[in-house]
Amino acid sequence: MVGPRSSDKDVKARGRGKDGTQKMPISEVLRFHKHAEEIIARAMRTQGSSLLQPGELRAMSELEAAIYHFYLDFVNCCCPTPIAQTDEQQWESLSKALKNNTTAKTLYLDENKIGEAGAQAVAEMLRSNSTMQYLNLGENKIGDAGAQAFAEMLKSNSTMESLDIGFNEIGDAGAKMIAGLILGRNSVIRRLSLRDNCIGDEGAKSLAEALVHNTSLEELDIWGNNFGDVGKLALLSTAKCKVFLELDPPCVPLTVMTSEEEMRQ
């Protein structure tokens, strides 16, 4: 990262103990960076967002010394290594920081290409988190394995109300796991987005079967998948919630009676 210059003394003062163990939790680090916290809060209010994305924080750190110093303290005092060298290490550090967080309710991780490994790390972190209510993991290529990790986590989760895992290359296998473990067992989730994945008719049927018994889901966004009329009709005929999907012209005669047919009856 390129940021404002900081003296050697200033950087060393932020280091961990001699044994290399974590010196303080992230909540303690924030106590010493009130100005950075104010800048971040102001940016979130301006954008109408509950959380800034990593790329935005990095960009801010190049302009604001306070943000850069907060970043240094997070790396030196909270991360398991002085500088995370790989994506997996970065996500592991983030997961550990959030695991012990008792205030965050919203987390945006969309468009970060975390993949299956990153999805599994975040899911593991959320197993012991009791505050998170909204999670956006859109466009991360988590695939069926990532979908399974979140399905396993959410079967026992008691706080997550909204989950967005759209644009993630999830197919029928992932849809079946979601159907069985989230829609079939979870009674807390209110909104679920699976839009623009690779779910076909088999996956749609599995989701439809789970929706028969689900009474908590309020919105299901499944727009832009690969199922045809059979899958669409299965979902529309069983869902008790709002369902967002595209109805192509070939599907209309199967679901809506024409005026001539009504007259013949």
Side-chain angles (χ1 to χ4, degrees):
M1 170 182 291
V2 178
R5 286 182 65 93
S6 181
S7 68
D8 291 341
K9 181 179 178 181
D10 185 43
V11 174
K12 290 178 180 178
R14 295 177 167 80
R16 298 177 302 282
K18 292 181 180 180
D19 59 354
T21 57
Q22 179 175 312
K23 187 175 181 180
M24 62 180 69
I26 189 172
S27 58
E28 287 295 313
V29 174
L30 279 171
R31 288 178 56 195
F32 297 98
H33 292 278
K34 292 298 181 184
H35 183 45
E37 190 174 17
E38 290 173 1
I39 295 173
I40 293 171
R42 186 164 60 247
M44 289 192 295
R45 286 195 299 270
T46 301
Q47 295 184 14
S49 172
S50 300
L51 192 69
L52 294 177
Q53 296 186 30
E56 294 172 313
L57 283 172
R58 285 194 296 270
M60 289 171 61
S61 75
E62 296 177 359
L63 300 174
E64 296 281 355
I67 302 295
Y68 181 63
H69 292 157
F70 166 60
Y71 162 78
L72 287 177
D73 271 0
F74 173 76
V75 171
N76 286 326
C77 299
C78 301
C79 292
T81 56
I83 298 177
Q85 297 295 322
T86 67
D87 286 343
E88 283 193 15
Q89 287 174 325
Q90 289 176 350
W91 286 112
E92 183 179 356
S93 298
L94 174 61
S95 294
K96 287 181 177 179
L98 291 173
K99 185 174 184 179
N100 298 318
N101 188 289
T102 58
T103 58
K105 296 182 179 180
T106 303
L107 182 60
Y108 290 88
L109 294 175
D110 51 317
E111 299 183 53
N112 276 290
K113 300 179 182 179
I114 67 173
E116 295 179 2
Q120 290 167 351
V122 175
E124 181 62 29
M125 170 271 292
L126 289 172
R127 286 181 185 274
S128 58
N129 183 287
S130 59
T131 61
M132 202 69 64
Q133 296 178 356
Y134 174 84
L135 176 63
N136 186 338
L137 273 176
E139 292 191 65
N140 273 298
K141 298 184 178 181
I142 68 172
D144 290 335
Q148 179 177 351
F150 280 98
E152 291 283 354
M153 179 274 295
L154 286 172
K155 70 180 181 183
S156 57
N157 183 277
S158 60
T159 59
M160 188 72 66
E161 296 182 359
S162 182
L163 176 64
D164 185 342
I165 47 177
F167 298 90
N168 267 304
E169 302 176 4
I170 298 171
D172 287 342
K176 290 178 181 179
M177 293 297 298
I178 291 168
L181 295 176
I182 298 181
L183 299 181
R185 300 184 188 182
N186 185 289
S187 59
V188 179
I189 207 86
R190 298 286 184 266
R191 289 167 291 279
L192 176 63
S193 176
L194 294 168
R195 71 176 298 134
D196 291 285
N197 276 297
C198 307
I199 302 170
D201 285 332
E202 291 302 313
K205 289 179 183 177
S206 296
L207 292 169
E209 290 172 3
L211 288 172
V212 171
H213 307 290
N214 185 287
T215 58
S216 63
L217 195 67
E218 298 173 1
E219 294 181 6
L220 174 63
D221 186 353
I222 198 160
W223 190 283
N225 278 276
N226 296 338
F227 44 77
D229 290 345
V230 173
K232 293 175 182 179
L233 289 173
L235 287 165
L236 292 173
S237 63
T238 58
K240 302 178 181 68
C241 61
K242 295 178 182 177
V243 178
F244 298 93
L245 55 77
E246 69 275 35
L247 293 178
D248 298 325
C251 187
V252 174
L254 297 175
T255 57
V256 180
M257 210 176 284
T258 64
S259 299
E260 291 182 0
E261 289 173 331
E262 289 178 347
M263 292 178 64
R264 285 199 295 270
Q265 290 189 353

